[in-house]
Amino acid sequence: MNADQNFKAELSIACELARVAGAAILEHYEGPLNIKQKNYADDVEPVTQADTIANDLIVTGLKREFPDDGILAEESIDTEHRLEKSRVWMVDPLDGTNGFIDGNGDFAVQIGLVEDGAVALGVVYQPLSGVLYRAVRGGGTWIERPQFDPEKAQVSSKKTLSEMRLAASRSHRSPRMNRVVMRLGFRDEVQRGSVGIKIGLIIEQQCDVYIHLSSRTKQWDTCAPQVILTEAGGRITDLFGYPLNYNVPDVQNRNGLVASNGVSHDQIIETLAPLLDEFGRQRV
């Protein structure tokens, strides 16, 4: 059985749920929005009714189709129950809530599947453009655009850091991130919201690297984007070059992340090391 057949039902249902959730999100895009603030230990994040409606649609669908699987979803209460499961769905119903609130189009629905701690499947859907990225472990990454046949994705082959384009966040850049950009020598960048959209820029060869210094991304932010990137030939690690962990008790990626086309990934990690030292960053 080939890789695509392995997760054929899971992929079909994940794509369908992503599109259904995306349609529900767009019903609220013009507002009015009911915006609340979620408090984490070291962060505050906005949440709207679109987040919770999309979350409920996806979680209900996954529970109906795969009742034996665990689920970790951003707008659902997390319990240790998922840690006993070998298969766990990681759901970010609206990645890029700030972009949704600002009306700039930078938001996506993300559904990923982890099997025995390793990412196995991922779907990232952008409701506004209708673009969907999908990948299954061992089956490559595919881009679906409205009115076009699915297209296989492949990252760029750029290896000189100064020639690489950075996928950067729209939010105000920290002085530390300025130091990183200067040290690595990036001269060109594209600013977008949502982890999935920035990873999408890499698989579409519009960018070559994305660096997130903070510990604020969660497992549901990176699960689906990770398999979409790696199946297109790219690589993702924490800032220190170690793999990201999934279905572990702490949902945060506390060691940041580096995503790239993979060609000069080790060089990026090595160049970052003295800066992280200087910043007092240690791997936890």
Side-chain angles (χ1 to χ4, degrees):
M1 184 181 284
N2 65 33
D4 284 319
Q5 295 299 318
N6 243 346
F7 293 97
K8 189 173 182 180
E10 287 88 343
L11 183 63
S12 173
I13 288 159
C15 289
E16 181 187 346
L17 289 173
R19 288 192 165 101
V20 168
I25 287 167
L26 289 183
E27 288 179 13
H28 298 274
Y29 191 46
E30 301 298 330
L33 293 177
N34 177 15
I35 304 169
K36 298 177 181 176
Q37 299 297 327
K38 287 186 301 186
N39 290 294
Y40 289 97
D42 59 351
D43 197 18
V44 178
E45 293 180 2
V47 59
T48 71
Q49 72 269 40
D51 295 74
T52 52
I53 289 168
N55 193 90
D56 291 347
L57 283 168
I58 296 167
V59 169
T60 300
L62 291 174
K63 283 181 176 176
R64 181 180 64 242
E65 299 291 342
F66 309 106
D68 295 331
D69 292 353
I71 299 176
L72 173 64
E74 181 169 13
E75 308 307 335
S76 299
I77 295 169
D78 183 30
T79 71
E80 292 187 355
H81 184 58
R82 65 178 168 85
L83 301 176
E84 303 160 8
K85 303 286 187 177
S86 63
R87 293 191 0 153
V88 180
W89 293 89
M90 307 258 162
V91 177
D92 192 338
L94 207 173
D95 186 45
T97 301
N98 283 316
F100 176 75
I101 293 168
D102 293 344
N104 63 28
D106 276 3
F107 55 93
V109 180
Q110 303 189 164
I111 303 174
L113 176 63
V114 169
E115 190 176 55
D116 298 322
V119 292
L121 173 156
V123 171
V124 174
Y125 176 59
Q126 299 178 55
L128 211 55
S129 65
V131 174
L132 182 143
Y133 307 130
R134 58 174 169 85
V136 167
R137 188 173 58 213
T141 296
W142 297 84
I143 305 171
E144 294 186 12
R145 306 180 200 279
Q147 281 82 53
F148 288 91
D149 289 333
E151 163 197 355
K152 194 164 189 184
Q154 181 65 40
V155 297
S156 75
S157 55
K158 288 183 182 175
K159 59 183 179 181
T160 305
L161 297 187
S162 61
E163 293 175 2
M164 289 184 173
R165 180 180 283 171
L166 178 71
S169 296
R170 281 187 187 272
S171 56
H172 177 70
R173 177 174 292 164
S174 69
R176 288 183 174 184
M177 192 62 198
N178 282 332
R179 294 280 308 282
V180 166
V181 171
M182 286 180 63
R183 181 69 62 91
L184 289 166
F186 299 130
R187 295 192 293 241
D188 198 9
E189 66 180 62
V190 177
Q191 294 186 348
R192 298 295 297 273
S194 165
V195 175
I197 289 177
K198 287 192 279 280
I199 297 291
L201 292 173
I202 299 176
I203 72 165
E204 294 204 46
Q205 298 191 16
Q206 294 178 34
C207 289
D208 313 286
V209 61
Y210 165 49
I211 298 170
H212 193 93
L213 288 179
S214 91
S215 59
R216 290 200 295 267
T217 68
K218 318 288 193 302
Q219 292 177 47
W220 52 70
D221 289 310
T222 53
C223 178
Q226 174 165 334
V227 67
I228 283 159
L229 177 63
T230 55
E231 285 298 319
R235 192 173 160 199
I236 187 167
T237 66
D238 69 17
L239 294 167
F240 303 88
Y242 290 87
L244 303 182
N245 295 315
Y246 292 98
N247 202 28
V248 291
D250 185 359
V251 300
Q252 288 189 231
N253 298 313
R254 294 197 180 274
N255 297 303
L257 64 94
V258 176
S260 78
N261 63 3
V263 184
S264 299
H265 197 93
D266 290 335
Q267 185 187 350
I268 293 168
I269 297 297
E270 286 167 18
T271 308
L272 277 175
L275 276 178
L276 296 175
D277 238 6
E278 199 179 305
F279 299 158
R281 283 292 292 271
Q282 294 183 328
R283 189 167 183 269
V284 293

